[in-house]
Each structure stands twice: as C-alpha cells, then as structure tokens.
Amino acid sequence: MAYGQFEQFIRNMSRVMGAVNTRLQRDLTLRTRVARRFSMTEVAELLNVDVTYLARVSSDEPVFPEGERSGRERTFSPSEIMLIRALIGSNPGAKRQHSYWRKPGDPVRVVTFGAQKGGTGKSLSAAHFAQYVNLFYGLRVGVIDADPQATVSLYFADQALPLFKPDTATLADFMGVDDPGAQELTPRTPAELDAIWLPTPWPGIKLIPGGANIQNGDISLFFMSRTSQVPVYRILKQAIRDWDAGNGPRTRLEDLRTASGAFDTEAYLTALNETVDIIVIDQQPSLTLMQLNGLIAADSVIIPQTMKGFDLATLATYVSNIGEYLEFIMGFEADIEIGRGEHVVLPTIVQEQNTQDTDQILDLYRRAPREILQVWYNRSDAIANASEEYKSIYEYLPPKTRRVSAKAFMANANAVNDALVQRVCPELPPRDFARAFIEERWG
C-alpha cells in the first residue's frame, strides 16, 4: 500500500515522539502536587478569622493538626486547613458560619468555563476558581474536564491519577456516549456515575479527567441526533441530576460532633468525600455537541476572554453561535430551564501598562455592566512560570527572585475569584479582594 506524504509525516512523528521523554516535567509536577504549605497567618486569612482565635482553637481541639514546625513557625497543608475549617464550623459555639457545604436536598451548582478561542487562560481560570472556593470556603468541588487535551486535569493530577490511559473514564462515559457506534445512551446507575469521579490530592476535590474519547462522544451524539429521540444537548444535564439524586449530601455540620461534643474524625472524612457542592466544567475551545452539553448543564457560564480586537471577534462568533443554538432549542422545548444563575465575561491576560486593553474593558463594561466583570486577570510572568509546571498560583512555590510577582498575582487571583463568587455563588459571603481591586482601578 502506498502512503501519501502527510501519512508518512504522521507515522514518523509518532515514532519520534514515542522515543522522546515528554513526561519529565509532568512527572516532576505530579510528584510535588499540593506541596505548598500555609503559615498560621495565611490559614487565618483563608478561614477569615483572627490568628489569636485560631491559636486558641488549636489548644482547645485535641484533633487540631500539628502541622509542620520550622523554628517557631507552624505550616499547614490544604488537607489540614480543611480539617481546621470543619473543626471551627462544626463547633456549636461558633458565632458565624465557617463551612459552606450544601445541605441535604440542595441541588448541586454547575459553573462552566467556556470560550471559542484557545490561549485565553480558560483552563487556568477554571482551576483557580475550583481551588479558591475549596481553600476560602471549604467547598467540595467536582471538576469536569471536557477537553480531549485534558489541560485542566493536569492542575489536579498526581501520580495516582490515571491520566491519558485508554481505559480511564471521561465525560463521555459519564454521559453514556462513550461508544461512537451506539444508537442509544449507555445507561449507568448513580453508583456507576459516582465511580467515574476520581479523587485528587486536593481535599474534597474530585475530577472527571479529559481524554481522547471525548471526541468519541461527539461522534456518538452526532449519530444519536439523527437516529434517536434523545435530546442530545441536555444529556450531561440529566446525567448530573441522576448522579446527584443518588450521591447528594447526607451529612450536616452538626453531625461532625458526637453527643459529648467531641469532633468525629470518621464522620468528617465520610462527609468530605460523599458528594460535591459545586461542579466546575472546563470546556474545549470550540462549540461541538459535547461542549454544548456543558453550556446547557450550567447554572452559570464564565467566558474568559482576552481583550485584543481579533480575539473579541471570536467572542462575537461564540456568543452568536450559542444564541442560535438556544433559539433552536427553545423553539421546541420552551419549558427547559437553562442557565438559572448569572453569567459573565472574564477579561484575561490584560496588559495594564498598555491602556488599550483597559480602555477596551471600560468600553465593554459601559455597554454591558452585568455581562463584563470589573475585575480581570493581569498578564503575569509569575503565573506563566507556574503554569509551565501545571500549577496554579495557590500551590506554586516560586524561587526567591519571583516571590514578589507571585504574591502580586495571588492577590490578583483572589480578587478575580472573589468577584466571580459574588456573581455565581451569591449565597457565599464576599471577601474584600474584589472591592479593593475595583477601588484601586475604577476609583
């Protein structure tokens, strides 16, 4: 059989890449995942309490984690911080709320990060948001990677998580569209759906990883749209409902204390892993049937978007195409509930030293104040260096020469995520991060 030049090129590159060690940096990251530790002062900020109060709790609670000591300083891991939050939140004498797990019967919230164009910081924005609500509110988070390239998965994976293996279940399996030749959905029980979620090193964060068979899902959905009566645009929405019906929250905060008032560590660990409070979906930069499912399933959609003229043209195309899809869907299914929460465009990779970007944000905000976020991600070498290791700013350990820029970007990330929380999770109490950002830049 004669092969064309392109076929030969692909064969040669497959052979070469199979011999190249492309996993060196990735494996280093997986070995050092969530290695960052937080000082007592930083833990107090995350929990929004006074350091002296935290020190008192550490003396009063027998199971308060010891942390690691370096001289007089104690540092804590994210898992230890989550335990501390549960200790404070479940204390009957607590004067205000510190843990924000959803109560039995409350529906899970779904937030989708989507964009038409790649390179807008979409996956990193989704990872930052998931980790922010986990660190600052103690939420249990489910991350769904809807991208065959599995970019956001790399921000949560460690050596135990089977990324890029052919038999690893993905979103296509969760939706029941993993067989491209099937005429009907593959039925799965709530228990089978729950087994698709994989644990991550982050406490209370689960992942449905991305992978190549997400593309099989698009093939399957295409053929089902022609041969089946299944509405192919809301399969994910239904799958989430089916999973939640069998795996919703069962434990209340007060259940973490025994009759004598002692903290029940076993009950805590059960509650930490029994469900999620919010699902964060990271979309592929496209608008296929699989990606349409991520939009239809969402309570809120966040569109990370760079502010250059050509990039904004892709935003116009994206929202226009979504509008046409929605008009088509609502034309024959008017009672379907889509996007009951708020939705927003998040400016990203903004160059503040060049007023062109900020002027563009100001113009867009004046035209659409509810749709354009007043807080944005600045372009930063610190996060560029962190993302090279597939680490968010919340776990990046910068060298001494980059600590100042890393601290500045963390403040930026806190402001962005505080603003997003106020828009898409209004029941959570805001912090002052977004307000300080807006006052500094908007007056």
mmCIF file of all heavy atoms in Angstrom, residues 1-28:
data_model
loop_
_atom_site.group_PDB
_atom_site.id
_atom_site.type_symbol
_atom_site.label_atom_id
_atom_site.label_comp_id
_atom_site.label_asym_id
_atom_site.label_seq_id
_atom_site.Cartn_x
_atom_site.Cartn_y
_atom_site.Cartn_z
ATOM 1 N N MET A 1 0.850 -1.193 0.000
ATOM 2 C CA MET A 1 0.000 0.000 0.000
ATOM 3 C C MET A 1 0.885 1.242 0.000
ATOM 4 O O MET A 1 1.855 1.345 0.745
ATOM 5 C CB MET A 1 -0.908 0.007 1.231
ATOM 6 C CG MET A 1 -1.866 1.192 1.282
ATOM 7 S SD MET A 1 -2.871 1.159 2.791
ATOM 8 C CE MET A 1 -3.843 -0.318 2.483
ATOM 9 N N ALA A 2 0.573 2.193 -0.847
ATOM 10 C CA ALA A 2 1.365 3.430 -0.934
ATOM 11 C C ALA A 2 0.780 4.473 0.004
ATOM 12 O O ALA A 2 -0.430 4.678 0.049
ATOM 13 C CB ALA A 2 1.348 3.949 -2.381
ATOM 14 N N TYR A 3 1.650 5.130 0.770
ATOM 15 C CA TYR A 3 1.210 6.165 1.709
ATOM 16 C C TYR A 3 1.574 7.535 1.175
ATOM 17 O O TYR A 3 2.659 7.734 0.603
ATOM 18 C CB TYR A 3 1.883 5.972 3.074
ATOM 19 C CG TYR A 3 1.469 4.709 3.768
ATOM 20 C CD1 TYR A 3 2.318 3.617 3.836
ATOM 21 C CD2 TYR A 3 0.208 4.603 4.352
ATOM 22 C CE1 TYR A 3 1.933 2.447 4.477
ATOM 23 C CE2 TYR A 3 -0.182 3.435 4.999
ATOM 24 C CZ TYR A 3 0.684 2.364 5.044
ATOM 25 O OH TYR A 3 0.297 1.216 5.676
ATOM 26 N N GLY A 4 0.681 8.510 1.349
ATOM 27 C CA GLY A 4 0.966 9.871 0.959
ATOM 28 C C GLY A 4 1.972 10.512 1.900
ATOM 29 O O GLY A 4 2.328 9.960 2.955
ATOM 30 N N GLN A 5 2.445 11.702 1.557
ATOM 31 C CA GLN A 5 3.465 12.362 2.365
ATOM 32 C C GLN A 5 2.945 12.711 3.762
ATOM 33 O O GLN A 5 3.696 12.617 4.738
ATOM 34 C CB GLN A 5 3.937 13.627 1.645
ATOM 35 C CG GLN A 5 4.718 13.336 0.386
ATOM 36 C CD GLN A 5 5.304 14.598 -0.214
ATOM 37 O OE1 GLN A 5 5.579 15.555 0.495
ATOM 38 N NE2 GLN A 5 5.479 14.595 -1.520
ATOM 39 N N PHE A 6 1.694 13.125 3.860
ATOM 40 C CA PHE A 6 1.173 13.505 5.172
ATOM 41 C C PHE A 6 1.081 12.288 6.089
ATOM 42 O O PHE A 6 1.411 12.339 7.268
ATOM 43 C CB PHE A 6 -0.204 14.160 5.032
ATOM 44 C CG PHE A 6 -0.780 14.634 6.338
ATOM 45 C CD1 PHE A 6 -0.127 15.610 7.082
ATOM 46 C CD2 PHE A 6 -1.955 14.094 6.838
ATOM 47 C CE1 PHE A 6 -0.644 16.051 8.300
ATOM 48 C CE2 PHE A 6 -2.478 14.521 8.056
ATOM 49 C CZ PHE A 6 -1.814 15.506 8.784
ATOM 50 N N GLU A 7 0.632 11.160 5.510
ATOM 51 C CA GLU A 7 0.557 9.931 6.300
ATOM 52 C C GLU A 7 1.935 9.536 6.805
ATOM 53 O O GLU A 7 2.112 9.131 7.961
ATOM 54 C CB GLU A 7 -0.043 8.806 5.458
ATOM 55 C CG GLU A 7 -1.446 8.402 5.927
ATOM 56 C CD GLU A 7 -2.003 7.302 5.061
ATOM 57 O OE1 GLU A 7 -1.825 7.376 3.835
ATOM 58 O OE2 GLU A 7 -2.617 6.378 5.616
ATOM 59 N N GLN A 8 2.939 9.655 5.944
ATOM 60 C CA GLN A 8 4.298 9.305 6.341
ATOM 61 C C GLN A 8 4.806 10.256 7.411
ATOM 62 O O GLN A 8 5.491 9.853 8.352
ATOM 63 C CB GLN A 8 5.238 9.336 5.121
ATOM 64 C CG GLN A 8 6.618 8.760 5.397
ATOM 65 C CD GLN A 8 6.542 7.300 5.817
ATOM 66 O OE1 GLN A 8 5.911 6.485 5.150
ATOM 67 N NE2 GLN A 8 7.160 6.972 6.945
ATOM 68 N N PHE A 9 4.467 11.537 7.278
ATOM 69 C CA PHE A 9 4.844 12.533 8.284
ATOM 70 C C PHE A 9 4.281 12.154 9.655
ATOM 71 O O PHE A 9 4.973 12.189 10.681
ATOM 72 C CB PHE A 9 4.333 13.903 7.848
ATOM 73 C CG PHE A 9 4.358 14.957 8.927
ATOM 74 C CD1 PHE A 9 5.541 15.597 9.276
ATOM 75 C CD2 PHE A 9 3.191 15.307 9.601
ATOM 76 C CE1 PHE A 9 5.558 16.553 10.278
ATOM 77 C CE2 PHE A 9 3.194 16.257 10.603
ATOM 78 C CZ PHE A 9 4.381 16.889 10.938
ATOM 79 N N ILE A 10 3.000 11.788 9.683
ATOM 80 C CA ILE A 10 2.355 11.418 10.940
ATOM 81 C C ILE A 10 3.018 10.177 11.530
ATOM 82 O O ILE A 10 3.281 10.099 12.742
ATOM 83 C CB ILE A 10 0.845 11.180 10.733
ATOM 84 C CG1 ILE A 10 0.155 12.494 10.349
ATOM 85 C CG2 ILE A 10 0.214 10.579 11.980
ATOM 86 C CD1 ILE A 10 0.247 13.573 11.401
ATOM 87 N N ARG A 11 3.299 9.194 10.706
ATOM 88 C CA ARG A 11 3.954 7.979 11.189
ATOM 89 C C ARG A 11 5.341 8.287 11.765
ATOM 90 O O ARG A 11 5.712 7.786 12.837
ATOM 91 C CB ARG A 11 4.074 6.952 10.065
ATOM 92 C CG ARG A 11 2.751 6.311 9.678
ATOM 93 C CD ARG A 11 2.902 5.426 8.445
ATOM 94 N NE ARG A 11 1.677 4.718 8.184
ATOM 95 C CZ ARG A 11 1.370 3.520 8.667
ATOM 96 N NH1 ARG A 11 2.220 2.918 9.474
ATOM 97 N NH2 ARG A 11 0.223 2.936 8.373
ATOM 98 N N ASN A 12 6.093 9.119 11.083
ATOM 99 C CA ASN A 12 7.437 9.471 11.555
ATOM 100 C C ASN A 12 7.374 10.220 12.877
ATOM 101 O O ASN A 12 8.158 9.952 13.799
ATOM 102 C CB ASN A 12 8.170 10.308 10.512
ATOM 103 C CG ASN A 12 8.575 9.505 9.290
ATOM 104 O OD1 ASN A 12 8.606 8.272 9.343
ATOM 105 N ND2 ASN A 12 8.875 10.191 8.196
ATOM 106 N N MET A 13 6.441 11.186 12.974
ATOM 107 C CA MET A 13 6.338 11.970 14.201
ATOM 108 C C MET A 13 5.854 11.113 15.371
ATOM 109 O O MET A 13 6.296 11.285 16.509
ATOM 110 C CB MET A 13 5.393 13.156 14.005
ATOM 111 C CG MET A 13 5.986 14.274 13.153
ATOM 112 S SD MET A 13 7.599 14.857 13.749
ATOM 113 C CE MET A 13 7.195 15.388 15.411
ATOM 114 N N SER A 14 4.979 10.160 15.095
ATOM 115 C CA SER A 14 4.534 9.253 16.152
ATOM 116 C C SER A 14 5.703 8.434 16.677
ATOM 117 O O SER A 14 5.845 8.220 17.888
ATOM 118 C CB SER A 14 3.444 8.316 15.626
ATOM 119 O OG SER A 14 2.305 9.041 15.247
ATOM 120 N N ARG A 15 6.562 7.985 15.769
ATOM 121 C CA ARG A 15 7.740 7.209 16.171
ATOM 122 C C ARG A 15 8.703 8.063 16.981
ATOM 123 O O ARG A 15 9.187 7.655 18.044
ATOM 124 C CB ARG A 15 8.442 6.652 14.931
ATOM 125 C CG ARG A 15 9.761 5.950 15.232
ATOM 126 C CD ARG A 15 10.370 5.414 13.956
ATOM 127 N NE ARG A 15 10.508 6.464 12.942
ATOM 128 C CZ ARG A 15 11.500 7.361 12.940
ATOM 129 N NH1 ARG A 15 12.428 7.344 13.885
ATOM 130 N NH2 ARG A 15 11.566 8.278 11.992
ATOM 131 N N VAL A 16 8.949 9.295 16.517
ATOM 132 C CA VAL A 16 9.891 10.179 17.201
ATOM 133 C C VAL A 16 9.379 10.557 18.578
ATOM 134 O O VAL A 16 10.101 10.485 19.580
ATOM 135 C CB VAL A 16 10.150 11.445 16.356
ATOM 136 C CG1 VAL A 16 10.924 12.481 17.164
ATOM 137 C CG2 VAL A 16 10.909 11.088 15.095
ATOM 138 N N MET A 17 8.106 10.951 18.660
ATOM 139 C CA MET A 17 7.560 11.392 19.943
ATOM 140 C C MET A 17 7.453 10.236 20.930
ATOM 141 O O MET A 17 7.501 10.437 22.141
ATOM 142 C CB MET A 17 6.186 12.036 19.748
ATOM 143 C CG MET A 17 6.229 13.331 18.940
ATOM 144 S SD MET A 17 7.475 14.507 19.498
ATOM 145 C CE MET A 17 6.868 14.908 21.138
ATOM 146 N N GLY A 18 7.334 9.019 20.408
ATOM 147 C CA GLY A 18 7.317 7.874 21.303
ATOM 148 C C GLY A 18 8.653 7.637 21.972
ATOM 149 O O GLY A 18 8.732 7.031 23.042
ATOM 150 N N ALA A 19 9.733 8.153 21.346
ATOM 151 C CA ALA A 19 11.073 7.965 21.894
ATOM 152 C C ALA A 19 11.546 9.150 22.714
ATOM 153 O O ALA A 19 12.561 9.072 23.400
ATOM 154 C CB ALA A 19 12.064 7.709 20.750
ATOM 155 N N VAL A 20 10.796 10.256 22.656
ATOM 156 C CA VAL A 20 11.198 11.464 23.389
ATOM 157 C C VAL A 20 10.586 11.440 24.783
ATOM 158 O O VAL A 20 9.421 11.073 24.950
ATOM 159 C CB VAL A 20 10.738 12.732 22.627
ATOM 160 C CG1 VAL A 20 10.968 13.983 23.464
ATOM 161 C CG2 VAL A 20 11.498 12.843 21.312
ATOM 162 N N ASN A 21 11.354 11.856 25.769
ATOM 163 C CA ASN A 21 10.849 11.884 27.140
ATOM 164 C C ASN A 21 10.045 13.159 27.346
ATOM 165 O O ASN A 21 10.563 14.179 27.782
ATOM 166 C CB ASN A 21 11.998 11.807 28.146
ATOM 167 C CG ASN A 21 11.489 11.735 29.584
ATOM 168 O OD1 ASN A 21 10.298 11.619 29.826
ATOM 169 N ND2 ASN A 21 12.404 11.797 30.526
ATOM 170 N N THR A 22 8.772 13.106 27.001
ATOM 171 C CA THR A 22 7.902 14.279 27.164
ATOM 172 C C THR A 22 7.305 14.341 28.561
ATOM 173 O O THR A 22 6.599 15.288 28.889
ATOM 174 C CB THR A 22 6.747 14.235 26.138
ATOM 175 O OG1 THR A 22 5.996 13.037 26.367
ATOM 176 C CG2 THR A 22 7.286 14.251 24.721
ATOM 177 N N ARG A 23 7.575 13.324 29.396
ATOM 178 C CA ARG A 23 6.925 13.247 30.691
ATOM 179 C C ARG A 23 7.773 13.786 31.838
ATOM 180 O O ARG A 23 7.322 13.809 32.983
ATOM 181 C CB ARG A 23 6.563 11.789 30.999
ATOM 182 C CG ARG A 23 5.600 11.183 30.004
ATOM 183 C CD ARG A 23 5.195 9.790 30.438
ATOM 184 N NE ARG A 23 4.630 9.804 31.775
ATOM 185 C CZ ARG A 23 4.172 8.717 32.382
ATOM 186 N NH1 ARG A 23 4.221 7.546 31.779
ATOM 187 N NH2 ARG A 23 3.680 8.799 33.615
ATOM 188 N N LEU A 24 9.016 14.229 31.539
ATOM 189 C CA LEU A 24 9.921 14.610 32.617
ATOM 190 C C LEU A 24 9.328 15.702 33.498
ATOM 191 O O LEU A 24 9.225 15.560 34.721
ATOM 192 C CB LEU A 24 11.268 15.062 32.042
ATOM 193 C CG LEU A 24 12.342 15.420 33.068
ATOM 194 C CD1 LEU A 24 12.662 14.202 33.927
ATOM 195 C CD2 LEU A 24 13.598 15.933 32.384
ATOM 196 N N GLN A 25 8.923 16.840 32.905
ATOM 197 C CA GLN A 25 8.371 17.942 33.696
ATOM 198 C C GLN A 25 7.030 17.561 34.298
ATOM 199 O O GLN A 25 6.733 17.885 35.443
ATOM 200 C CB GLN A 25 8.217 19.194 32.821
ATOM 201 C CG GLN A 25 7.647 20.391 33.570
ATOM 202 C CD GLN A 25 8.512 20.812 34.742
ATOM 203 O OE1 GLN A 25 9.653 21.216 34.563
ATOM 204 N NE2 GLN A 25 7.984 20.717 35.960
ATOM 205 N N ARG A 26 6.229 16.828 33.539
ATOM 206 C CA ARG A 26 4.922 16.438 34.047
ATOM 207 C C ARG A 26 5.056 15.538 35.269
ATOM 208 O O ARG A 26 4.363 15.706 36.267
ATOM 209 C CB ARG A 26 4.130 15.716 32.951
ATOM 210 C CG ARG A 26 2.660 15.509 33.299
ATOM 211 C CD ARG A 26 1.921 14.861 32.164
ATOM 212 N NE ARG A 26 2.160 13.425 32.112
ATOM 213 C CZ ARG A 26 1.893 12.655 31.065
ATOM 214 N NH1 ARG A 26 1.441 13.187 29.960
ATOM 215 N NH2 ARG A 26 2.114 11.353 31.105
ATOM 216 N N ASP A 27 5.968 14.572 35.210
ATOM 217 C CA ASP A 27 6.145 13.667 36.341
ATOM 218 C C ASP A 27 6.690 14.395 37.558
ATOM 219 O O ASP A 27 6.338 14.066 38.697
ATOM 220 C CB ASP A 27 7.072 12.522 35.958
ATOM 221 C CG ASP A 27 6.406 11.514 35.034
ATOM 222 O OD1 ASP A 27 5.183 11.636 34.827
ATOM 223 O OD2 ASP A 27 7.099 10.632 34.514
ATOM 224 N N LEU A 28 7.552 15.384 37.337
ATOM 225 C CA LEU A 28 8.063 16.176 38.454
ATOM 226 C C LEU A 28 6.918 16.902 39.149
ATOM 227 O O LEU A 28 6.837 16.946 40.385
ATOM 228 C CB LEU A 28 9.110 17.187 37.961
ATOM 229 C CG LEU A 28 9.668 18.148 39.020
ATOM 230 C CD1 LEU A 28 10.386 17.367 40.115
ATOM 231 C CD2 LEU A 28 10.607 19.166 38.374
#
